[in-house]
Amino acid sequence: MCGIVGIAGFSPVNQVLYDSLLLLQHRGQDAAGIATAHSNSFSMSKGNGLVRDVFRTRNMRSLPGNMGIGHVRYPTAGSAASSDEAQPFYVNAPYGLVLAHNGNLTNSERLKAELFKNDRRHINTNSDSEVLLNVLAHELQSNASGYSLDPVTIFRAVAGVHARARGAYACVAQIAGYGLLAFRDPFGIRPLALGKAESEQGTEYMFASESVALVGMGFEFVRDIEPGEAVFVDLDGKLYAQQCAEKSSLNPCIFEYVYLARPDSVMDGISVYEARVKMGEYLADQIRKSMPPSEIDVVMPIPDSSRPAALELANQLDVPYREGFIKNRYIGRTFIMPGQAVRKKSVRQKLNAISVEFKNKTVLLVDDSIVRGTTSREIVQMAREAGAKKVIFASAAPPVRFPNVYGIDMPTRDELIASGRTDDEICAEIGADALFYQDIEDMKRAVRDLNPKIQTFDASCFDGHYITGDVTTEYLDRLEYMRKHPEVLESGGLQMNLGYSANQ
Ligand SMILES: O=P(O)(O)OC[C@H]1O[C@H](OP(=O)(O)OP(=O)(O)O)[C@H](O)[C@@H]1O
Ligand SMILES: NC(=O)CC[C@H](N)C(=O)O
Ligand SMILES: [Mg+2]
């Protein structure tokens, strides 16, 4: 899901960018980068690793300027290992542009080929974000008359991006000598918020994937960027905003509320924490229908993300809530780590059971979601090893049965434990005595209750409905094939139905 941030201020922004990336670290652990603008040129520092490992004092000193963007990466396209795909990306024409992207394009192969054949632009990595930047660059070039650039032209260029790009994208970009641009895809799948802070020289603006980054840096949350909207802040700090999509609708990714976002963020008018509490409430109703709560001795969260749901579930069932697993705070989020071997190993390193809480008890373990089943398989076994009499597992989200193509790395069906399995089969697979899943409608209701203006969500990994309309079975098959055969990607992509190779 990646985290992005952009600041247009009146004093150096390097430290604020760094600190806000730390606040967004949970959105991407693989790479980080910052680009700042000063006297018509950019300085950039990026690389693989966590924010605190990527930036050394010398890197920070080399990032002067009052305007800048930053990124933390959780790869969904290209490869996790390649530091060439760390963001921001840069192109030198027209004007000099840097861009940071959260999301995933569903037509990047086609766009890559178009860019090469028609727009004469070479894409040097397998990242869809580099493709997106070049589409923006081309649209700026073809919409500008002469050298100078104004907000009207910039908004026309974003409209051009909307017309060509498919999928999910929330972006921040800088145009050398002009200013800071932020835009969100017409379906509003990935989040992007605007904040402001008053300084002696005027209003400073900040864009971030989550409100926690704005508030944590002393900015006041102003509003979410609308789906399809672009906001531009010029070098004098003047803000311009315009709807750039012909048609737009808000369909936020529901998995943000389930797991991705920090609970202290508010996205599209919905508190992530409250949504998780509601999910706990509705899950409790469902469990109560199937078994008397008195049969459960203790409710336990799987730290961290399931805590709000588990606590409320325990309240509703009137069963004691206990912390039976202690998390090593120095190990990152398992789900967003690249590669199954490292994910599996890290569950045991990360979570350890307190035996006294398990001995001869019927325990109800609550997690926010079960995706590959890496966590639940290990945790159930750990609970048994710690002496539990019976282990019941509950997921605050419904079964994840379908790939995600909008910025979450779950592209193949076979890696999802719920794909092609019944609930009983999944229960057997994770080794639990019973398994409860949230109902899909209850999950949507839990989030929608908090902002009734949102009628639809991108819930594709749960219901298989892909809101952008271009994700066919053939597309998913191709994605799956590419994931299983990375050498195909390296050699220029699959030519199914395209009629040309992306690298031709
Ligand atoms: O079924 P799986 O493939 O294991 O994925 C689901 C698990 O991964 C996430 O935890 P993670 O450790 O990433 O982060 P957290 O500390 O925020 O819960 C999520 O909260 C579940 O626990
Ligand atoms: N999770 C994301 O937002 C990923 C952004 C982009 N698709 C990448 O792979 O770098
Ligand atoms: Mg977890």
Side-chain angles (χ1 to χ4, degrees):
M1 62 263 170
C2 298
I4 58 171
V5 59
I7 303 173
F10 292 102
S11 57
V13 290
N14 52 356
Q15 192 61 44
V16 190
L17 286 167
Y18 177 95
D19 292 341
S20 49
L21 289 183
L22 281 180
L23 286 165
L24 296 175
Q25 185 77 82
H26 60 284
R27 299 183 67 85
Q29 301 171 163
D30 279 51
I34 291 177
T36 54
H38 50 97
S39 50
N40 264 0
S41 58
F42 298 124
S43 295
M44 184 144 70
S45 177
K46 60 178 185 171
N48 283 351
L50 296 172
V51 173
R52 63 167 180 262
D53 301 322
V54 169
F55 305 102
R56 301 272 157 220
T57 309
R58 62 176 181 277
N59 305 120
M60 295 303 289
R61 285 211 188 100
S62 70
L63 291 166
N66 299 347
M67 195 176 265
I69 62 174
H71 188 264
V72 282
R73 181 170 189 233
Y74 160 59
T76 57
S79 101
S82 170
S83 57
D84 292 346
E85 290 169 3
Q87 300 194 34
F89 273 103
Y90 166 72
V91 283
N92 64 358
Y95 313 102
L97 283 171
V98 282
L99 174 133
H101 165 219
N102 171 208
N104 196 63
L105 299 186
T106 47
N107 65 340
S108 68
E109 258 184 281
R110 182 175 291 275
L111 285 174
K112 191 171 178 178
E114 271 180 28
L115 282 165
F116 187 78
K117 283 184 94 174
N118 307 336
D119 305 343
R120 294 281 179 256
R121 285 179 172 271
H122 173 74
I123 305 300
N124 207 40
T125 68
N126 288 316
S127 165
D128 59 327
S129 311
E130 191 190 2
V131 170
L132 187 62
L133 168 61
N134 278 273
V135 172
L136 174 65
H138 179 80
E139 293 304 316
L140 279 168
Q141 193 167 316
S142 47
N143 279 287
S145 53
Y147 181 79
S148 76
L149 198 58
D150 54 20
V152 175
T153 311
I154 293 170
F155 294 144
R156 241 187 257 134
V158 174
V161 172
H162 291 333
R164 293 177 70 181
R166 292 280 168 279
Y169 48 97
C171 298
V172 285
Q174 290 182 96
I175 309 171
Y178 289 96
L180 177 67
L181 171 68
F183 55 97
R184 197 172 172 195
D185 68 70
F187 290 97
I189 297 172
R190 301 256 73 92
L192 190 58
L194 168 68
K196 66 170 186 184
E198 298 307 330
S199 79
E200 278 175 14
Q201 293 98 318
T203 307
E204 301 188 310
Y205 291 102
M206 177 168 173
F207 301 93
S209 299
E210 292 187 29
S211 64
V212 64
L214 304 176
V215 177
M217 298 323 301
F219 280 68
E220 180 194 333
F221 171 83
V222 176
R223 65 181 179 87
D224 296 286
I225 307 303
E226 299 289 326
E229 187 189 20
V231 179
F232 177 69
V233 185
D234 69 17
L235 296 182
D236 298 324
K238 192 157 188 285
L239 183 139
Y240 305 81
Q242 190 172 299
Q243 175 53 255
C244 300
E246 273 182 24
K247 245 176 85 187
S248 65
S249 60
L250 182 57
N251 310 267
C253 167
I254 206 156
F255 208 64
E256 292 275 358
Y257 300 99
V258 168
Y259 162 74
L260 299 178
R262 257 177 63 147
D264 45 343
S265 281
V266 177
M267 283 177 167
D268 291 311
I270 295 164
S271 147
V272 175
Y273 174 79
E274 284 183 78
R276 290 181 190 167
V277 169
K278 276 264 170 225
M279 287 179 208
E281 181 188 326
Y282 293 153
L283 185 57
D285 292 344
Q286 205 191 308
I287 293 174
R288 208 184 287 109
K289 280 185 223 151
S290 309
M291 69 183 290
S294 56
E295 287 182 12
I296 304 164
D297 294 316
V298 61
V299 171
M300 285 179 192
I302 314 295
D304 267 326
S305 296
S306 70
R307 281 207 175 98
L311 186 55
E312 183 58 17
L313 185 146
N315 279 340
Q316 295 284 333
L317 296 182
D318 201 17
V319 172
Y321 172 88
R322 289 278 189 274
E323 296 272 352
F325 292 99
I326 298 302
K327 182 185 151 180
N328 178 344
R329 69 182 73 208
Y330 301 103
I331 304 227
R333 296 183 106 184
T334 318
F335 174 72
I336 64 171
M337 286 175 182
Q340 186 58 9
V342 61
R343 283 191 289 261
K344 193 160 181 253
K345 183 164 154 256
S346 105
V347 174
R348 287 265 173 175
Q349 285 178 340
K350 178 170 153 174
L351 297 166
N352 193 33
I354 299 180
S355 304
V356 67
E357 288 296 355
F358 293 84
K359 283 266 172 312
N360 296 323
K361 289 184 185 165
T362 295
V363 295
L364 171 57
L365 307 179
V366 182
D367 209 345
D368 53 83
S369 57
I370 304 172
V371 182
R372 297 179 179 91
T374 323
T375 310
S376 40
R377 277 189 189 105
E378 292 295 322
I379 287 290
V380 168
Q381 208 182 324
M382 284 164 75
R384 292 204 193 283
E385 285 163 12
K389 187 170 67 187
K390 226 170 157 192
V391 182
I392 304 169
F393 206 94
S395 162
V400 175
R401 296 198 196 277
F402 303 92
N404 185 291
V405 294
Y406 299 132
I408 308 172
D409 183 38
M410 34 170 143
T412 63
R413 281 156 283 197
D414 358 320
E415 72 190 89
L416 306 172
I417 193 171
S419 173
R421 285 195 179 94
T422 63
D423 290 3
D424 285 346
E425 285 166 344
I426 302 165
C427 182
E429 190 66 30
I430 65 172
D433 295 300
L435 171 64
F436 295 97
Y437 269 118
Q438 183 88 266
D439 177 75
I440 289 198
E441 278 317 307
D442 284 346
M443 172 188 63
K444 292 184 182 171
R445 193 157 59 94
V447 189
R448 198 185 287 128
D449 278 359
L450 300 164
N451 182 0
K453 277 194 242 153
I454 301 181
Q455 279 311 304
T456 46
F457 294 95
D458 158 44
S460 48
C461 57
F462 301 109
D463 63 12
H465 174 63
Y466 296 89
I467 200 86
T468 52
D470 58 336
V471 180
T472 57
T473 311
E474 194 199 16
Y475 175 86
L476 293 175
D477 289 345
R478 195 166 78 238
L479 196 67
E480 222 159 80
Y481 183 86
M482 301 263 251
R483 184 49 74 108
K484 288 178 190 160
H485 301 89
E487 69 285 356
V488 176
L489 188 68
E490 295 310 320
S491 66
L494 206 61
Q495 297 175 37
M496 277 169 72
N497 251 357
L498 289 176
Y500 42 72
S501 153
N503 278 353
Q504 231 162 39

